[in-house]
Every structure is written in C-alpha cells, then in structure tokens.
Amino acid sequence: MNEQVSGAAPTRILVIDDSNTIRRSAEIFLKQGGHEVALAEDGFDALAKLGDFHPDLVFCDILMPRLDGYQTCAIIKRNPQFSGVPVIMLSSKDGLFDKARGRMVGSQDYLTKPFTKDQLLQAVLQHRRQEART
C-alpha cells in the first residue's frame, strides 16, 4: 500500500535511534508509506550519513549514548546545508521540559515512543507540507 502522493519524489528520511527495534519499525512504517529511509544508531553515525543521504526530514531519539538527540539536532541545525531540514524528536518521555528543550535546539516537533505507523506517517505528511510552503 503506497500512500505517497503520485508524481511526488519520495521523501528522504533519516531515523536516528540507538534502539534497533525502533529503527527497524520506523523503517518498515516509512517504507510502507513510500519513503526512502536511512538509519543511524547514534548522533555520530547520523552526522556521518547526513552529507551522503541529504534527508528531507530527520527523526531523532533524545536519549542516546555519546551524542544525545539535543546535541545532534543542534549540530544539524548549525550546518547551513541542513538548517532547513525539519527535525522531529523521539522520546519515551512525554514531558513539557523535553519538548521545550527540543524546540530550543531547533526541532520542529516531538513524537512519543512507542509511535504507531499512522502517527509516524502523519508527522512526515505535516512537515513535508510545511517545507513546501516555506
């Protein structure tokens, strides 16, 4: 079942999460939605893949070893080549503080884990629309 808008190029999405389970389920959901997906297991891995993959959207876990999601998001946003790429933070905590801190480093949205296929694809749709308007 391809939910991609006909004629539109697939959205290139980078999923950054230290949980293999979360990475794989996000990959399956996003590919079912017709999107192109790259996976990274932490912030350093993600930063190494950014330049080659050139994502249209990034999902980034907050709690990761070595380089956490806030640091990773801030680095992505400081790079002029990727500063316009929407970053959606992923966390198992649904806290106001986490959401506010995410916004401070430049994230566009926040998704609580575990997420459903519909929640993930809805977030992609919402942020692709916003990008098209800007």
Side-chain angles (χ1 to χ4, degrees):
M1 180 165 98
N2 192 336
E3 296 165 24
Q4 181 73 29
V5 178
S6 60
T11 304
R12 298 168 65 86
I13 302 169
L14 178 61
V15 177
I16 313 163
D17 201 300
D18 59 327
S19 161
N20 187 46
T21 306
I22 295 292
R23 281 195 314 274
R24 294 294 169 208
S25 53
E27 179 182 34
I28 290 165
F29 294 159
L30 293 167
K31 284 186 173 180
Q32 286 174 347
H35 305 293
E36 203 174 316
V37 182
L39 303 175
E41 61 189 43
D42 63 33
F44 287 114
D45 188 23
L47 296 174
K49 292 179 178 177
L50 262 183
D52 292 332
F53 188 65
H54 293 280
D56 300 309
L57 181 65
V58 175
F59 285 101
C60 185
D61 183 24
I62 291 175
L63 295 173
M64 296 184 291
R66 301 197 304 162
L67 197 62
D68 74 21
Y70 299 122
Q71 294 165 314
T72 303
C73 180
I75 292 168
I76 291 169
K77 291 299 184 174
R78 277 197 298 257
N79 182 326
Q81 190 177 358
F82 301 107
S83 61
V85 174
V87 176
I88 298 173
M89 304 306 281
L90 299 174
S91 179
S92 49
K93 296 188 294 182
D94 191 16
L96 198 58
F97 175 76
D98 293 315
K99 291 179 183 179
R101 189 166 172 208
R103 295 246 187 244
M104 286 170 57
V105 294
S107 75
Q108 274 64 32
D109 206 349
Y110 188 97
L111 203 55
T112 305
K113 298 188 287 189
F115 44 77
T116 65
K117 176 183 173 183
D118 286 345
Q119 288 172 318
L120 200 62
L121 293 177
Q122 189 58 45
V124 172
L125 196 61
Q126 181 181 345
H127 291 283
R128 286 296 293 161
R129 273 199 213 118
Q130 284 180 357
E131 187 181 287
R133 286 195 298 258
T134 57

